[in-house]
Amino acid sequence: MNADSITRRTERDEVLAKAAAAKAVLPALRAGAPDRKNTVLTAAAAALRENASTIITANAADIERGVAAGMSGALVDRLRLTQPRIDAMACGLEQVAALADPVGQVVCGRTLPNGLKLTQVRVPLGVMGMVYEARPNVTVDAFGLAFKAGNAALLRGSKSARQSNTALVEILRRVLADHDFPEDALQLLPCQTHESVQDLITARGLVDVVIPRGGAGLITAVVTGASVPTIETGTGNCHVYVHADADIEMATEIILNGKTRRPSVCNATETVLIDRAVAKNNQFNIIHAIQDAGVVVHGIPAELKDICGQGLVEADESDWAEEYLSMDVAVKLVDGIDGALEHIATYSSGHTEAIVTKDLTVAERFTDLVDSAAVMVNASTAFTDGEQYGMGAEIGISTQKLHARGPMGLPELTTTKWVVIGRGQTRP
Amino acid sequence: MNADSITRRTERDEVLAKAAAAKAVLPALRAGAPDRKNTVLTAAAAALRENASTIITANAADIERGVAAGMSGALVDRLRLTQPRIDAMACGLEQVAALADPVGQVVCGRTLPNGLKLTQVRVPLGVMGMVYEARPNVTVDAFGLAFKAGNAALLRGSKSARQSNTALVEILRRVLADHDFPEDALQLLPCQTHESVQDLITARGLVDVVIPRGGAGLITAVVTGASVPTIETGTGNCHVYVHADADIEMATEIILNGKTRRPSVCNATETVLIDRAVAKNNQFNIIHAIQDAGVVVHGIPAELKDICGQGLVEADESDWAEEYLSMDVAVKLVDGIDGALEHIATYSSGHTEAIVTKDLTVAERFTDLVDSAAVMVNASTAFTDGEQYGMGAEIGISTQKLHARGPMGLPELTTTKWVVIGRGQTRP
């Protein structure tokens, strides 16, 4: 047996052993009263601040390895932990402590004709796996939300953030132990090989859900390779449709905000659909404003050449499906609301689509027929976000239809059970 | 290319073409007002009754093939359609028509500080696949619930019920067309080969959810082989734990009801855990009552030989995990509530577990720590059922934790979307 296959066998054993350990601590987590959990979260925030220099030293080693391996500037920036970023992670934990505890919430209940008392109660999901890229802040966010919802977290972070994640998890596990919670409520999985992801997502009977967080490739690999339940998050090819009867100034503001506020996030606007009926001058104004903001327009030359001039990048089929995550946008002219609906149905990733219109009937048709997690009228796609929606912190934005759709907060990290109280009833 | 591979290619093409056709009719289904849908369901019930002789003739051909192929009596009985059974299917459709329409229900909503009006609304899941065995009634049930929830149904029934299913689906599609709904809201998939199931459960982008309904083998094959979302249903290794402080007469009634009422259904009691502290005489009474009812006891001879005599079947490890679905039950002595909890955590399928006790603290501990879809105190496991819970008809009982847990009615066949109404808001 060569060294590689020994690494694999060892990794697989480690993943399964950690998953079993996570399952074993669930009763202790289920029994954790809200106050006790909140004390842990607040203490964890303090511990991160106290140990900032340890974290920064570990992170520096990851950065050094990354730079030596030729990691891009953007990735290095994502990986880097600084004093303010550590403070932001700590604040995140304090915010989670302040949120309502989802465990034990009664969703509904009734007394049946035979006197049985039926209650549907929120309970933890159980063992929750996360697979993510080189963003060490996800380590802390995922722990905070998973722990508050009564779940044990198995974190499979990127190899390039290994030392940062190790330092963070050690600190957090110490806090758990100090407060009489099992340390194995939080465990970091091995990340030497890609296959350790496979070990996690096929651990049926041990793992209750895996949430991938990262680029489209990572998400597709996890969702298609998993035999445990998964929640698909985050790919956002968000559209803004400017209807014939739109306030053009409002449309321009909404497009600029959705595209340029933070181009790298999943709620950024990626495609603008302009109704052919929008008067020619207005179309000019919108597109020139986009270009003036430094955004590169991808479109069909026959439609846009006169307006964009040399600045136009010729679009092909792939542009309509593209999540640029950059200062690029696809622009297309469409024939009325039906043209817009058809384009969206064909190319949308089901995240967020917006219409700008003053027409009530058209707005209603758009909200009824667009099949996405969020459908907006006269608002920026950038609003699709757990904090903006008033849900507190979010673990990601689900673009699937089962279990959770849109921003996922604490309740989405729980399941329910039916508690039935009788006095000896049997079924006729 | 041989005949088999041509069949396969043709089947695969047919599954994908039908899935695409199903996706194409979704806007028409989403636009279907509750009244119009209910008219279709009532007309469908009438059409089944009117065409009963056509259905029975088609069914007779399936039965004849089954008998010739040596199908067991129990399976033939499950496959057989009679006048009363057709009437029962028709009544089922009428009951679904009478239920509240889940589409458009507002789950929650709020106005954000910036004035955005946020509403979470129930919408159809989309294209719903069902994979099931030789029970033609599932064809009608699945259509009724899927259609009412605004979903297009792709039904992959058993090859042995092919002619029955074809007759039923033809009748139902004609009713759809007569009421200006697209026929492709209901389609029967080819069933010549097992691989056509694979075609359905890997049709990512076309199929929104697949629900398997049948034995454990079918369910595991669908859930582990799927790359589209699935909902696991129905395996029920349900436990009754008789606590030291139980009313023994009540315990006996609950066990007999759970085991003998309908032994072949998933909410039947399969394992009885008797506390060692239950006085010896009482233990005798319970077990003798089980045997007197004609139930075969599987257990550990050292524990039960004295009570059961020759009637005891020696249990091995596999008995604790077994879903007998017959007049058999596993019986085991356990040490207190912790012994019961541990046994259940190890062997339960997560369906329904019950405790019989008069002790409040013990009852609370049991309902808190048992991690199953339903946890009952002093009631028969037979109560886990959509109709019993007051939800109306059910499509199955989910034993997974994501999306739906326990009986799944109409709301569980929908998802939600966020509708956001603004007046030009952008995000700072």
Side-chain angles (χ1 to χ4, degrees), chain A residues 3-272:
Chain A
D4 274 5
S5 62
I6 291 171
T7 305
R8 273 298 302 135
R9 205 186 46 183
T10 316
E11 271 201 332
R12 189 176 155 73
D13 290 348
E14 186 180 339
V15 170
L16 295 180
K18 287 187 166 174
K23 190 173 176 179
V25 305
L26 293 180
L29 291 180
R30 272 200 290 274
D35 280 356
R36 284 185 62 219
K37 291 190 287 186
N38 293 337
T39 305
V40 167
L41 291 167
T42 315
L48 290 181
R49 290 193 183 100
E50 278 159 28
N51 293 282
S53 64
T54 312
I55 298 167
I56 288 172
T57 305
N59 182 250
D62 284 333
I63 300 268
E64 197 178 324
R65 249 184 319 125
V67 170
M71 189 185 259
S72 78
L75 288 183
V76 169
D77 179 60
R78 242 168 52 169
L79 175 56
R80 192 184 304 281
L81 291 177
T82 59
Q83 194 74 49
R85 286 183 178 180
I86 292 169
D87 195 57
M89 294 192 294
C91 288
L93 291 176
E94 286 160 348
Q95 281 164 13
V96 172
L99 293 175
D101 199 305
V103 177
Q105 280 180 2
V106 175
V107 178
C108 70
R110 62 190 81 105
T111 299
L112 302 182
N114 61 7
L116 280 180
K117 294 197 175 77
L118 196 69
T119 320
Q120 191 180 27
V121 185
R122 283 206 179 285
V123 295
L125 272 173
V127 177
M128 183 184 119
M130 284 281 296
V131 180
Y132 54 105
E133 294 170 342
R135 295 180 186 261
N137 63 306
V138 174
T139 305
V140 176
D141 290 357
F143 161 71
L145 289 165
F147 179 74
K148 176 99 179 196
N151 300 310
L154 294 175
L155 306 184
R156 171 50 170 83
S158 164
K159 191 174 169 179
S160 50
R162 190 171 49 83
Q163 282 172 269
S164 314
N165 288 338
T166 304
L168 291 168
V169 166
E170 267 175 23
I171 293 163
L172 297 170
R173 280 169 61 95
R174 214 149 49 219
V175 174
L176 285 167
D178 288 348
H179 291 80
D180 294 322
F181 274 97
E183 286 185 323
D184 288 346
L186 172 65
Q187 296 175 91
L188 196 62
L189 297 182
C191 56
Q192 281 304 110
T193 72
H194 273 297
E195 286 85 353
S196 66
V197 172
Q198 203 58 31
D199 300 331
L200 173 67
I201 66 183
T202 55
R204 274 175 69 79
L206 292 175
V207 173
D208 292 294
V209 62
V210 172
I211 302 175
R213 191 159 151 179
L218 169 77
I219 292 165
T220 307
V222 167
V223 171
T224 57
S227 58
V228 302
T230 56
I231 301 177
E232 207 163 331
T233 62
T235 314
N237 175 22
C238 303
H239 295 72
V240 173
Y241 164 51
V242 184
H243 176 246
D245 190 14
D247 175 329
I248 296 298
E249 205 174 314
M250 183 192 287
T252 310
E253 291 297 317
I254 283 172
I255 292 165
L256 290 180
N257 183 258
K259 181 70 257 182
T260 65
R261 184 185 160 276
R262 280 186 69 193
S264 67
V265 295
C266 62
N267 59 27
T269 301
E270 302 289 12
T271 302
V272 173

Side-chain angles (χ1 to χ4, degrees), chain B residues 2 36 59 62 107 142 152 193 221 232 242 250 279 299 320 339 351 373 378:
Chain B
N2 63 24
R36 285 187 60 219
N59 182 249
D62 284 334
V107 178
T193 72
E232 210 163 327
V242 184
M250 182 191 290
W320 313 130
H351 190 296
N378 298 332

